Amino acid sequence: MWLWFAKLGSPKWFYELSSKWLPWLVVATVLVIGTATVWALLFLPPDYQQGYTSRILVVHVAVAGTSLAFFPLMAVAGTITLVWKMKLADMVAKNAAALGAWFSFITLATGSIWGSVSWGTWWEWSDSRLVSMLFQFFLLLGVVSLRSALEDSDKAAKACALLSIVGCINVVIIKYSVEWWNTLHQPASPVSLQTGSANGPEFWIATALMILGVYLFLSVSLILSTRNEILQRERRALWVQELVAAER
Amino acid sequence: MNQITESSPAPDAPLPGGPLLEVRDLSCERDERVLFAGLSFVVDCGTVLQIAGSNGSGKTTLLRILCGLNDGYDGEIIWRGESTDDTAESFVGDLLYFGHRVGVNKILTPLENLRWSAGMQRTVNDQLLLDALAAVGLRGFEESPCYTLSAGQQQRVSLARLRLSPATLWVLDEPFTTLDVDAVAQLEQTLADHARQGGAVIVTTHHKLTMPSLSRLTLGMS
Amino acid sequence: MNQITESSPAPDAPLPGGPLLEVRDLSCERDERVLFAGLSFVVDCGTVLQIAGSNGSGKTTLLRILCGLNDGYDGEIIWRGESTDDTAESFVGDLLYFGHRVGVNKILTPLENLRWSAGMQRTVNDQLLLDALAAVGLRGFEESPCYTLSAGQQQRVSLARLRLSPATLWVLDEPFTTLDVDAVAQLEQTLADHARQGGAVIVTTHHKLTMPSLSRLTLGMS
Amino acid sequence: MLSASVKPSTRSAFMLTLKRDLLIAFKRKNDIVNPFMFFVIVISLFPLAISPEGEKLAEIAAGVIWIAVLLSAMLSMDSLYRGDFEDGSLEILLLSPHPLFFLVLAKNIAHWLVSGFPVVIASPLLAYMLKLPSESYGTLMLTLLIGTPTLSLIGSIAVALTVGLGSRGLILAVITLPFSVPVLIFGTLAVQASASGLPAGGYLTLLLALLAGSLSLAPLTSAAALRISVS
Amino acid sequence: MLSASVKPSTRSAFMLTLKRDLLIAFKRKNDIVNPFMFFVIVISLFPLAISPEGEKLAEIAAGVIWIAVLLSAMLSMDSLYRGDFEDGSLEILLLSPHPLFFLVLAKNIAHWLVSGFPVVIASPLLAYMLKLPSESYGTLMLTLLIGTPTLSLIGSIAVALTVGLGSRGLILAVITLPFSVPVLIFGTLAVQASASGLPAGGYLTLLLALLAGSLSLAPLTSAAALRISVS
Ligand code: HEM
Ligand SMILES: Nc1ncnc2c1ncn2[C@@H]1O[C@H](COP(=O)(O)OP(=O)(O)OP(=O)(O)O)[C@@H](O)[C@H]1O
Ligand SMILES: Nc1ncnc2c1ncn2[C@@H]1O[C@H](COP(=O)(O)OP(=O)(O)OP(=O)(O)O)[C@@H](O)[C@H]1O
Ligand SMILES: [Mg+2]
Ligand SMILES: [Mg+2]
């Protein structure tokens, strides 16, 4: 167990292992996302209210679900960075923050687009999921900007790890308090995510596939960017130089 | 990358079991440049170790590593027989660090500054502090806010800490900058005295030091 | 409070009409303490003037007054025959000041720093800048952000400005701090060269300088 | 020399640090007057920018006061560790033989006494200017009394993380503001509840819980952050 | 060595300084993203603190946006001269053989491009989130485009005056905010007028007059203030 753990910490080991797995993951990602998209486009019946725009909800729900995973992921990676000083964890955390910000942004964007059709407004303050997602987005940007502000990469790793852990707790508190805040401010417009207008069984199958696909996509992008990071940070290591020589 | 250690004769006081500080196989790299590697040395009570080396050779980095202010290194630092990681508290209580930034608040007066910075390590009273300030040539400036002091005078405020410190090991990073010739001579004397009384000093400087029981370690001879 | 000026033989180059800088009856007090009074001296082209004095004797204050950065003084400062108040622009264009804070931005690289700080006084191109950086021993660090440089290396970045400056008068406040022995020797050479080529230097330092056409002014001998 | 002296107790190191920080603040004076002035000025911008009418102001009063408190707390944080970092005192703090937790706590307490407390005291006056119903003055002060130390403690983490940076004003805000959202929400809800005659006890309890949580965790985290920043 | 070199023209010194400041900002990245982020976060606190309801928000939208702009402009000022003061570059600036007016102007322009301009660009999005009537987006952007440089120029004086002080965040605010009140008032009045379908031209002219005035006077005053601060 410990041996495995120590091994996992070695960027070289990770690089080699991921080389083996990556092609399969990429194929799986393309397949799953492709199927889900085709399904959504071809087989999903148009919504009786919103017509074909309802299909964007498939993407929205999948991305929204996934973007909730980032802070826990970063907090775990951060703990590993702080306690075991494992470089790999920080590389993952660094890319996760940027990726998480993008995912949150896409959630906000797709949600807004869908909202503009189904509620007739792009943004509504009286929904707790919207507001807490917005603040999660801000926090992720905070982590990203802290990383870019700190010049020393070692320092940046630890500082961001700490911020991610504290931020993770905070995201939970924000979510809970915003929800509560909202139940007190009776929504003026009939706005709620639970209108359930689009959820037939086809919708849920497409969505489930899409969620799987997005998770796969997330892993692939994390692995790819981490590999990139490894090559950059270890560019003087023997094995990287051999690799580069072999490429030529 | 190698180091030359030219030791002068060891102090004659017998050492109480093992060296004070031992560094084993220390190496550090920053931005892909190896600053030092395989560095091993011993600092005993009663000695002064001068770290020499050209600009950028890693002297400051080494001192900060020794004090636990930097942790980007490989190797072992052993304090009275135990790794500094395990003895952090007792180690820190017996250590005085003096860095490029001297730890003098500009708004406070020298007296108020010392009351805090010396008071963190030992109980003090004002008479002690006034004596220490007078000894570093700041009589008459005890109550002026430090922003009205010249560069050298601010440096002196911080050096007054040395006279009050109960710490065995002093780690000083270029303490001689901006001091005038008298103050330099006086500080050298203070270091020599500390060693004679059983303390140990690690100091970086580009000055040529001359004192008994001085050894020198030169970084970055390539 | 008086001053001793021990001049070495005057430079043999004949001076083009009147001295470069003349100070007449300058006095300054800060916080009710007279730093200097009735100070008069002359700086000619081809000479180096070292301002000596113990810590707090007013060296930094004097230099800043000369450059027009401080104005709490009485007396006259005359530049090429006219008061500096009247000739501010032409005076400043022919002056290089190097202070305790060296004017190096930590985020920029040495090259980018010089491009601005040297470029304000004369037109430059990158080759000139690279040469100047190499000359102060920063080859290989041209493109590293300055926060990764050691204290002495940052000082060197700023000293590279000396090699690029078109100014006749250099006013340098403790330029030797944190430099290693080689760099100190090299800087002394640079100052001597500047004087030989008809420039003038006013420098404060606690070092013992040895160069031709050096004179010394000691402040605060009471 | 090596043996005669006595290592001070952690309690006396705590008191020394507290006194020192208070002394610096009193010597600067600005540190005390400014958060308060900022608070007053920001609040007085609202009638100008929104509407001078009494009813409209009363509606937004609670929120405006809390936002002004938040911003002034955040702005005043800047001075918490920066000076010490720049002049090297932080290294003395880190290398002192006392648990950093207590020293950081001492600094936080000093900072709150100087910047947070005056704002709490002044709040009824501002509340009056914004026409907040007078029944809720008590609740307002109470929530501020509980909320501002929480904001200071949270802000302290962000300052500690960013203390080495050149320009910090904004990055500090970007990190701190999201963290202050829960305090803001409970604070305003409490005041709004009491303004409309409802009980505010529940919110106060929640605010207290936030305070308790940050009191025990924030100094630890700040201490860790300081160690990172100094290295 | 003394004769071969050419003194650069004031124009090229202006460009050098502008480029240098932009370069520093781009290297830092945060300088660009943060004023913008701060603006967005502060604005999103208002619905939480006041009310999430559309009509109520629409009423206060113009004022809230302008206040957030003011605060973010003021906060971002902190980085304008501080770094240069601390590392000694300011002395190089002061002792350069060019009129300080233009060099200060270059620094102000660089600063506005980095911190003010992004806020102008983003304002319609925030206006939407606060439910400002869409007819007034144009006026909002226009007033911001004229108003933010004025704020930067005014702020620059305050920063120059306070550049040597230890903790500036707040004293800066206390000096700047009162001076920014006219900009705030005309800006919000213009937006409110256009939101209710009235012509806003008069206010825009006034804003332009303020900009013209500060463009000619503020750099001079900042230059003088810098000389005072450095001595
Ligand atoms: C925590 C983040 C979020 C999660 C987990 C989430 C999840 C979901 C789910 C599961 C649905 C489908 C609900 C249903 O069909 O009944 C949905 C619908 C929707 N979401 Fe989200 N969402 C999140 C954030 C957002 C955001 C930030 C926005 C807007 C900017 C948004 C706007 C919408 C809209 C407009 C719908 C359609 C509601 C309807 O059917 O009328 N969501 N979301
Ligand atoms: N801002 C100030 N306000 C009041 N007095 C000051 C101020 N700055 C300096 N002084 C006084 O002026 C004296 C001279 O200071 P100055 O910095 O010129 O000395 P210096 O000769 O450069 O010393 P050093 O060798 O230490 O650099 C100091 O003793 C100090 O008391
Ligand atoms: N934050 C940093 N990031 C990356 N590299 C650094 C950093 N700080 C220092 N270095 C590198 O480490 C080297 C040694 O720096 P250090 O400050 O230890 O030198 P020094 O021996 O103290 O020099 P000096 O005599 O100039 O004080 C420098 O050349 C620099 O390139
Ligand atoms: Mg050093
Ligand atoms: Mg001096």
Side-chain angles (χ1 to χ4, degrees):
Chain A
M1 165 68 193
W2 276 109
L3 210 80
W4 176 82
F5 201 66
K7 245 176 146 186
L8 191 63
S10 138
K12 179 171 182 249
W13 176 84
F14 175 84
Y15 194 89
E16 282 163 359
L17 187 81
S18 63
S19 299
K20 270 183 240 152
W21 281 85
L22 197 59
W24 296 105
L25 274 175
V26 171
V27 170
T29 310
V30 171
L31 274 181
V32 174
I33 292 194
T35 319
T37 314
V38 169
W39 186 299
L41 285 184
L42 295 188
F43 303 111
L44 215 61
D47 188 86
Y48 68 98
Q49 262 182 329
Q50 287 102 26
Y52 289 94
T53 21
S54 63
R55 285 160 190 172
I56 201 172
L57 201 56
V58 175
V59 178
H60 168 71
V61 173
V63 176
T66 318
S67 53
L68 294 179
F70 279 96
F71 253 109
L73 177 72
M74 285 160 57
V76 170
T79 314
I80 296 175
T81 308
L82 288 178
V83 179
W84 289 287
K85 299 187 177 154
M86 191 183 287
K87 279 190 201 160
L88 190 62
D90 176 54
M91 299 184 194
V92 173
K94 178 178 176 185
N95 295 305
L99 213 59
W102 276 114
F103 270 57
S104 311
F105 179 75
I106 295 173
T107 308
L108 289 165
T110 51
S112 296
I113 294 171
W114 172 248
S116 76
V117 178
S118 72
W119 306 331
T121 169
W122 294 76
W123 184 261
E124 201 46 65
W125 289 101
S126 52
D127 187 279
S128 52
R129 278 206 283 198
L130 270 61
V131 178
S132 52
M133 178 56 74
L134 184 66
F135 278 96
Q136 178 185 318
F137 177 56
F138 290 155
L139 272 168
L140 282 164
L141 285 185
V143 178
V144 172
S145 73
L146 182 67
R147 169 87 63 175
S148 75
L150 288 171
E151 286 114 11
D152 191 290
S153 68
D154 222 35
K155 218 190 248 188
K158 288 187 238 159
C160 290
L162 203 61
L163 185 59
S164 306
I165 296 168
V166 184
C168 188
I169 303 170
N170 192 50
V171 166
V172 176
I173 300 181
I174 289 184
K175 187 158 173 49
Y176 161 71
S177 51
V178 166
E179 227 155 64
W180 204 27
W181 168 74
N182 240 303
T183 52
L184 285 150
H185 286 271
Q186 296 307 323
S189 45
V191 166
S192 148
L193 289 185
Q194 265 68 50
T195 48
S197 47
N199 42 6
E202 300 94 338
F203 169 79
W204 285 116
I205 294 171
T207 306
L209 267 182
M210 194 54 107
I211 290 179
L212 184 64
V214 171
Y215 266 105
L216 282 170
F217 173 76
L218 165 69
S219 331
V220 169
S221 1
L222 266 185
I223 291 173
L224 269 179
S225 46
T226 305
R227 281 163 62 92
N228 226 331
E229 191 82 23
I230 289 175
L231 288 188
Q232 244 182 30
R233 288 199 199 177
E234 308 264 306
R235 63 177 171 274
R236 272 181 334 112
L238 197 61
W239 67 271
V240 175
Q241 286 181 347
E242 277 167 6
L243 203 83
V244 174
E247 290 280 294
R248 290 235 178 87
Chain B
M1 203 135 300
N2 50 6
Q3 299 81 26
I4 304 167
T5 316
E6 18 165 304
S7 295
S8 50
D12 38 12
L15 296 172
L20 188 66
L21 184 79
E22 189 182 347
V23 168
R24 284 195 203 140
D25 199 24
L26 198 69
S27 54
C28 168
E29 63 181 80
R30 299 199 83 153
D31 282 349
E32 291 144 40
R33 224 162 53 84
V34 178
L35 288 182
F36 41 79
L39 191 64
S40 300
F41 60 88
V42 164
V43 180
D44 277 324
C45 288
T47 60
V48 176
L49 174 67
Q50 177 183 5
I51 314 273
S54 54
N55 291 139
S57 57
K59 301 181 294 299
T60 299
T61 311
L62 174 61
L63 293 198
R64 294 179 67 92
I65 287 176
L66 292 182
C67 296
L69 289 171
N70 263 16
D71 57 3
Y73 66 92
D74 288 315
E76 267 183 298
I77 304 169
I78 291 161
W79 171 253
R80 296 194 196 271
E82 283 177 76
S83 163
T84 45
D85 294 342
D86 309 330
T87 55
E89 197 133 318
S90 82
F91 172 52
V92 152
D94 217 1
L95 169 83
L96 182 130
Y97 172 75
F98 176 100
H100 274 302
R101 289 180 297 224
V102 294
V104 172
N105 185 297
K106 299 267 174 76
I107 286 171
L108 299 180
T109 65
L111 189 62
E112 290 160 347
N113 262 303
L114 272 194
R115 210 176 273 149
W116 179 73
S117 58
M120 294 297 278
Q121 291 226 329
R122 60 171 288 189
T123 49
V124 287
N125 59 47
D126 277 9
Q127 195 49 50
L128 271 175
L129 301 179
L130 289 173
D131 291 348
L133 285 173
V136 293
L138 287 176
R139 175 164 295 146
F141 291 96
E142 294 93 346
E143 304 280 1
S144 325
C146 286
Y147 62 82
T148 68
L149 300 184
S150 78
Q153 287 171 324
Q154 289 179 15
Q155 185 92 351
R156 288 167 184 231
V157 174
S158 186
L159 289 173
R161 271 166 63 211
L162 296 186
R163 303 182 165 266
L164 294 163
S165 167
T168 312
L169 179 63
W170 293 356
V171 176
L172 314 175
D173 198 359
E174 311 223 4
F176 296 98
T177 46
T178 72
L179 292 184
D180 61 27
V181 273
D182 295 342
V184 166
Q186 202 199 19
L187 177 56
E188 286 192 33
Q189 189 55 47
T190 311
L191 301 192
D193 287 350
H194 182 62
R196 207 164 26 77
Q197 289 168 19
V201 179
I202 304 179
V203 56
T204 68
T205 177
H206 301 295
H207 271 70
K208 178 121 194 71
L209 292 181
T210 46
M211 49 183 68
S213 68
L214 174 81
S215 55
R216 181 153 45 212
L217 175 73
T218 306
L219 292 184
M221 308 285 289
S222 50
Chain C
M1 204 136 298
N2 50 4
Q3 299 82 27
I4 304 166
T5 316
E6 19 163 303
S7 295
S8 49
D12 37 10
L15 296 172
L20 189 67
L21 184 80
E22 190 183 344
V23 168
R24 285 199 203 135
D25 198 23
L26 198 70
S27 56
C28 169
E29 63 181 79
R30 300 199 81 153
D31 283 349
E32 293 144 39
R33 224 163 52 84
V34 178
L35 287 183
F36 41 80
L39 190 65
S40 299
F41 61 88
V42 163
V43 181
D44 278 324
C45 288
T47 61
V48 176
L49 173 67
Q50 176 182 4
I51 313 273
S54 55
N55 290 139
S57 56
K59 302 181 294 299
T60 299
T61 311
L62 175 60
L63 294 198
R64 293 181 68 92
I65 286 175
L66 291 182
C67 294
L69 287 172
N70 264 16
D71 55 4
Y73 66 93
D74 287 315
E76 267 185 297
I77 304 169
I78 291 161
W79 171 252
R80 296 195 199 270
E82 283 176 74
S83 163
T84 46
D85 293 343
D86 309 329
T87 55
E89 198 133 318
S90 83
F91 172 53
V92 151
D94 217 2
L95 169 82
L96 184 131
Y97 172 75
F98 177 100
H100 273 302
R101 289 180 296 225
V102 294
V104 172
N105 184 296
K106 298 269 173 78
I107 286 173
L108 299 179
T109 65
L111 189 61
E112 290 159 349
N113 263 303
L114 272 194
R115 209 176 275 149
W116 179 74
S117 57
M120 294 298 279
Q121 292 227 326
R122 61 170 288 191
T123 48
V124 287
N125 59 47
D126 277 9
Q127 194 49 50
L128 271 175
L129 302 178
L130 290 174
D131 290 348
L133 285 173
V136 293
L138 288 175
R139 177 165 291 148
F141 291 96
E142 293 93 348
E143 304 278 3
S144 324
C146 286
Y147 61 83
T148 66
L149 299 184
S150 78
Q153 287 171 324
Q154 290 179 13
Q155 184 94 351
R156 286 165 183 234
V157 174
S158 186
L159 289 174
R161 271 166 61 211
L162 296 186
R163 302 179 165 269
L164 295 164
S165 167
T168 311
L169 178 63
W170 292 356
V171 176
L172 313 175
D173 197 1
E174 311 224 4
F176 296 97
T177 45
T178 71
L179 292 185
D180 61 26
V181 273
D182 296 342
V184 166
Q186 203 200 16
L187 178 57
E188 286 192 33
Q189 190 55 48
T190 311
L191 300 190
D193 287 351
H194 182 62
R196 206 163 29 77
Q197 289 168 21
V201 179
I202 304 179
V203 57
T204 68
T205 176
H206 301 294
H207 270 70
K208 180 125 193 66
L209 292 181
T210 46
M211 49 183 70
S213 67
L214 174 81
S215 54
R216 183 156 37 212
L217 174 73
T218 307
L219 292 183
M221 306 285 290
S222 49
Chain D
M1 172 181 181
L2 297 180
S3 49
S5 61
V6 184
K7 185 190 142 185
S9 67
T10 298
R11 191 170 156 281
S12 78
F14 176 92
M15 289 310 295
L16 259 181
T17 309
L18 185 68
K19 269 192 224 151
R20 167 179 180 269
D21 274 29
L22 287 177
L23 184 65
I24 294 176
F26 278 98
K27 289 213 167 185
R28 269 225 199 94
K29 294 190 197 74
N30 284 320
D31 281 3
I32 301 175
V33 181
N34 277 336
F36 173 71
M37 283 293 292
F38 177 81
F39 176 64
V40 175
I41 294 180
V42 166
I43 285 190
S44 56
L45 292 180
F46 281 88
L48 293 179
I50 289 174
S51 154
E53 286 160 40
E55 306 112 65
K56 277 202 190 158
L57 283 179
E59 268 178 38
I60 61 171
V64 164
I65 291 177
W66 260 99
I67 286 183
V69 164
L70 210 72
L71 292 176
S72 91
M74 198 202 66
L75 268 171
S76 70
M77 293 313 292
D78 195 57
S79 60
L80 184 48
Y81 304 113
R82 170 163 223 157
D84 291 344
F85 176 78
E86 278 168 5
D87 67 22
S89 304
L90 209 51
E91 280 147 11
I92 296 181
L93 201 78
L94 291 183
L95 291 178
S96 86
H98 307 283
L100 202 49
F101 178 94
F102 291 107
L103 305 182
V104 165
L105 191 63
K107 290 186 82 70
N108 285 349
I109 291 175
H111 181 265
W112 178 78
L113 283 176
V114 166
S115 70
F117 192 59
V119 165
V120 177
I121 299 296
S123 58
L125 185 68
L126 280 301
Y128 177 79
M129 286 169 66
L130 291 183
K131 316 283 181 209
L132 190 78
S134 55
E135 308 85 65
S136 43
Y137 288 5
T139 317
L140 179 68
M141 281 188 81
L142 208 59
T143 54
L144 288 178
L145 200 64
I146 308 172
T148 48
T150 317
L151 294 179
S152 289
L153 287 164
I154 293 172
S156 153
I157 302 176
V159 197
L161 280 173
T162 54
V163 76
L165 302 181
S167 78
R168 281 193 309 131
L170 281 164
I171 190 163
L172 186 62
V174 171
I175 295 180
T176 325
L177 287 181
F179 282 96
S180 320
V181 167
V183 182
L184 179 74
I185 288 181
F186 297 139
T188 48
L189 283 180
V191 180
Q192 286 169 352
S194 75
S196 34
L198 301 172
Y203 306 116
L204 288 176
T205 321
L206 282 170
L207 279 176
L208 271 176
L210 286 179
L211 176 60
S214 45
L215 205 52
S216 51
L217 293 179
L220 269 185
T221 320
S222 303
L226 282 179
R227 281 198 199 284
I228 293 169
S229 286
V230 165
S231 78
Chain E
M1 172 180 178
L2 297 182
S3 52
S5 63
V6 184
K7 186 191 142 186
S9 67
T10 298
R11 193 171 155 278
S12 78
F14 177 90
M15 290 309 295
L16 259 180
T17 308
L18 184 67
K19 270 193 221 150
R20 167 178 180 270
D21 274 29
L22 287 177
L23 184 65
I24 294 176
F26 278 98
K27 287 213 168 180
R28 273 226 195 94
K29 289 190 204 78
N30 287 308
D31 280 3
I32 303 176
V33 181
N34 277 335
F36 172 72
M37 282 288 296
F38 176 80
F39 175 65
V40 176
I41 295 181
V42 166
I43 285 191
S44 54
L45 293 179
F46 280 91
L48 294 183
I50 290 173
S51 156
E53 285 159 42
E55 306 112 65
K56 280 203 190 156
L57 284 179
E59 272 176 34
I60 61 170
V64 164
I65 290 178
W66 260 99
I67 288 180
V69 165
L70 206 74
L71 293 175
S72 93
M74 202 203 62
L75 264 173
S76 70
M77 295 311 293
D78 195 57
S79 59
L80 184 47
Y81 304 112
R82 171 162 223 159
D84 290 343
F85 175 78
E86 278 167 6
D87 66 21
S89 304
L90 208 52
E91 281 149 10
I92 296 182
L93 202 77
L94 290 182
L95 292 178
S96 87
H98 307 284
L100 202 50
F101 178 92
F102 291 107
L103 304 182
V104 165
L105 190 63
K107 289 187 81 72
N108 285 349
I109 292 176
H111 182 263
W112 178 76
L113 282 177
V114 165
S115 69
F117 192 59
V119 165
V120 178
I121 298 295
S123 58
L125 183 68
L126 279 302
Y128 180 82
M129 288 174 79
L130 291 183
K131 314 285 180 205
L132 189 78
S134 55
E135 309 86 63
S136 44
Y137 288 4
T139 316
L140 178 69
M141 279 186 85
L142 210 56
T143 53
L144 289 178
L145 200 63
I146 308 172
T148 47
T150 316
L151 294 179
S152 290
L153 287 165
I154 294 174
S156 153
I157 303 175
V159 196
L161 278 175
T162 55
V163 75
L165 303 180
S167 79
R168 283 192 310 129
L170 281 165
I171 190 161
L172 186 60
V174 173
I175 297 180
T176 325
L177 284 181
F179 282 100
S180 319
V181 166
V183 182
L184 177 76
I185 291 181
F186 297 139
T188 47
L189 282 179
V191 179
Q192 284 168 355
S194 75
S196 34
L198 302 172
Y203 304 117
L204 288 177
T205 321
L206 283 170
L207 279 176
L208 270 175
L210 285 178
L211 176 60
S214 47
L215 205 51
S216 50
L217 294 179
L220 270 184
T221 321
S222 303
L226 282 180
R227 284 199 200 281
I228 294 170
S229 288
V230 163
S231 77

